[in-house]
Amino acid sequence: MQYDLIIVGGGAAGFFTAINVAENNPELKIAILERGKEVLSKVRISGGGRCNVTHAEFIPNELSKNYPRGEKELKGPFHTFMTGDVMEWFDRRGVALKIEEDGRVFPVSDSSETIINCFLSTVKQLGVEILKNHIVKDFYQKDRGWIIQTNQANFVTKKLMIATGSNPKIWKQLQKLEHQTIEAVPSLFTFNIKDSRITNLSGVVTNATVRVKQSKLSSEGALLITHWGMSGPAILKLSAWGAVELNAKQYDFEIVINWLYEYSQHEVFEELKALKEQYAKQQMYKYAQFGLPKRLWQSLVLASGIKNDMRWADTNKTQLKLLSDQLTQGVFAVKGKSTFKEEFVTAGGVDLKEIDFKTFQSKKHKNLYFAGEVLNIDAITGGFNFQNAWTGAYIAAQAIVSDF
């Protein structure tokens, strides 16, 4: 079966490539090969089923800072096609989007089905073929085109787009084509922590600074205490930036938390001494200070050896010092990780040195293109991983069309 373009991978990057190529040149024969029974499965579960399409960051250089791997390489592409362009693209196709307080962009419908339906109806109108249950066994260059062998058929195509995400079998086939791939390690995960200080605090959220002991890794933002440990943006950012390093530690390490991220230990100690004067007769345990959630304050007070009926006046210097330590440099042992929601993001993929980021074409093989997570690009949570998929797919589509 002969095609002008075959896209391997029926996810966000694959569909975006197909649509942008077909709209620019309706004459081209295009097929998407998907190994599973369903297409766009990751789009379906993204953002808790709401599909976090992109992020409201409209300065390319600032946007690229959200990518632990790919920051440098994406600066140029983001000047070509970025968040505002994505929002306009969906708007033109009747998908209304909204920006939430934290900058995340979702469909107004709050349903990922809106995005999926947009893609499916558009590819149908454009005559793009979707071939499911096609497991790619091999692909190789012949003459100026490509041969693709699946479990069901053989295909010949002029141009080939690989948009398979973290698929080790495809990576192996790319290695046969002398492409380097960086081993996949998990990114965007939560920390498993068993510690009496947080045992009964599930659901507590507060802003904190977190750093990994004996490392340069640190992060700040909202931290959520869960029944298995810690999550929230501060932890997820740390897991993304530390994906490779924390994998090397086998997810067994210690973190230091400053629950009052704008205060130093010394400043907090001085403030506690002042509070002791001010609230001498008050029970310390009863009223939270520094704007901390009450349950967290009470837990840290008890962890400092201060009984729940003790008045401020009855505390000694050692106890106040211990409390200032708990508030600003509490050490917690991390033993393992958990996947963040159902969205499994990995660091790793095709070595970025082997990609021409003006076209997203392989530097090693003509007419071979890449987009999305198959590349060694990943981002923190907030719609940035999708933005990488849209940008790469769009630029590759322009390059593919211009070459026919």
Side-chain angles (χ1 to χ4, degrees), residues 235-262:
I235 298 295
L236 293 168
K237 275 193 281 186
L238 201 60
S239 77
W241 286 100
V244 176
E245 193 176 323
L246 301 181
N247 177 261
K249 292 177 185 289
Q250 297 183 301
Y251 311 104
D252 187 345
F253 55 94
E254 289 183 322
I255 54 173
V256 182
I257 298 181
N258 185 341
W259 300 103
L260 310 173
Y261 66 99
E262 70 271 43

Side-chain angles (χ1 to χ4, degrees), residues 78-103:
F78 283 157
H79 278 87
T80 301
F81 188 84
M82 62 172 277
T83 49
D85 304 303
V86 169
M87 294 177 77
E88 187 191 352
W89 191 95
F90 281 108
D91 187 55
R92 283 206 311 270
R93 286 156 185 83
V95 176
L97 301 176
K98 59 176 178 178
I99 301 172
E100 300 204 334
E101 260 182 61
D102 59 4

Side-chain angles (χ1 to χ4, degrees), residues 99-331:
I99 301 172
E100 300 204 334
E101 260 182 61
D102 59 4
R104 292 183 302 163
V105 177
F106 290 93
V108 168
S109 66
D110 274 332
S111 171
S112 55
E113 294 303 321
T114 308
I115 304 297
I116 290 168
N117 292 339
C118 167
F119 283 163
L120 291 177
S121 62
T122 306
V123 293
K124 194 175 179 184
Q125 284 165 16
L126 294 166
V128 174
E129 291 179 51
I130 301 170
L131 304 172
K132 298 174 192 171
N133 297 309
H134 272 268
I135 297 163
V136 171
K137 300 289 191 185
D138 199 9
F139 51 90
Y140 53 90
Q141 218 159 6
K142 189 169 182 190
D143 303 324
R144 292 187 61 200
W146 289 85
I147 309 284
I148 299 115
Q149 298 173 337
T150 78
N151 59 328
Q152 293 194 47
N154 290 347
F155 301 86
V156 180
T157 183
K158 291 173 187 169
K159 297 190 183 291
L160 176 60
M161 158 62 86
I162 304 293
T164 49
S166 300
N167 180 335
K169 286 179 181 169
I170 296 291
W171 291 11
K172 277 203 177 82
Q173 285 158 2
L174 288 168
Q175 286 161 9
K176 285 201 300 192
L177 294 169
E178 296 180 352
H179 263 295
Q180 293 286 316
T181 57
I182 313 300
E183 188 188 350
V185 296
S187 180
L188 288 188
F189 49 84
T190 59
F191 294 174
N192 294 351
I193 299 168
K194 282 192 167 68
D195 191 294
S196 58
R197 288 168 291 178
I198 59 167
T199 299
N200 298 311
L201 301 188
S202 187
V204 167
V205 184
T206 189
N207 283 327
T209 303
V210 188
R211 66 180 171 86
V212 176
K213 235 178 158 185
Q214 297 166 323
S215 164
K216 289 178 181 171
L217 288 170
S218 73
S219 168
E220 63 179 48
L223 187 154
L224 166 68
I225 297 172
T226 67
H227 60 271
W228 66 84
M230 294 181 188
S231 183
I235 298 295
L236 293 168
K237 275 193 281 186
L238 201 60
S239 77
W241 286 100
V244 176
E245 193 176 323
L246 301 181
N247 177 261
K249 292 177 185 289
Q250 297 183 301
Y251 311 104
D252 187 345
F253 55 94
E254 289 183 322
I255 54 173
V256 182
I257 298 181
N258 185 341
W259 300 103
L260 310 173
Y261 66 99
E262 70 271 43
Y263 288 101
S264 71
Q265 189 271 344
H266 175 72
E267 287 169 334
V268 171
F269 181 57
E270 292 303 314
E271 182 70 18
L272 289 172
K273 288 197 290 189
L275 289 167
K276 180 177 175 172
E277 296 292 318
Q278 193 177 346
Y279 298 121
K281 292 181 180 176
Q282 217 175 69
Q283 280 183 354
M284 201 173 178
Y285 177 84
K286 211 168 181 180
Y287 302 100
Q289 304 297 331
F290 303 100
L292 278 179
K294 188 175 183 181
R295 288 195 293 152
L296 177 60
W297 165 260
Q298 291 178 336
S299 177
L300 297 177
V301 165
L302 294 176
S304 308
I306 298 164
K307 293 190 172 67
N308 59 8
D309 59 352
M310 199 177 268
R311 298 180 311 159
W312 279 93
D314 301 329
T315 58
N316 58 39
K317 192 177 176 181
T318 303
Q319 288 167 324
L320 295 184
K321 169 78 169 55
L322 279 171
L323 181 55
S324 65
D325 284 346
Q326 288 288 352
L327 289 165
T328 61
Q329 48 197 32
V331 177

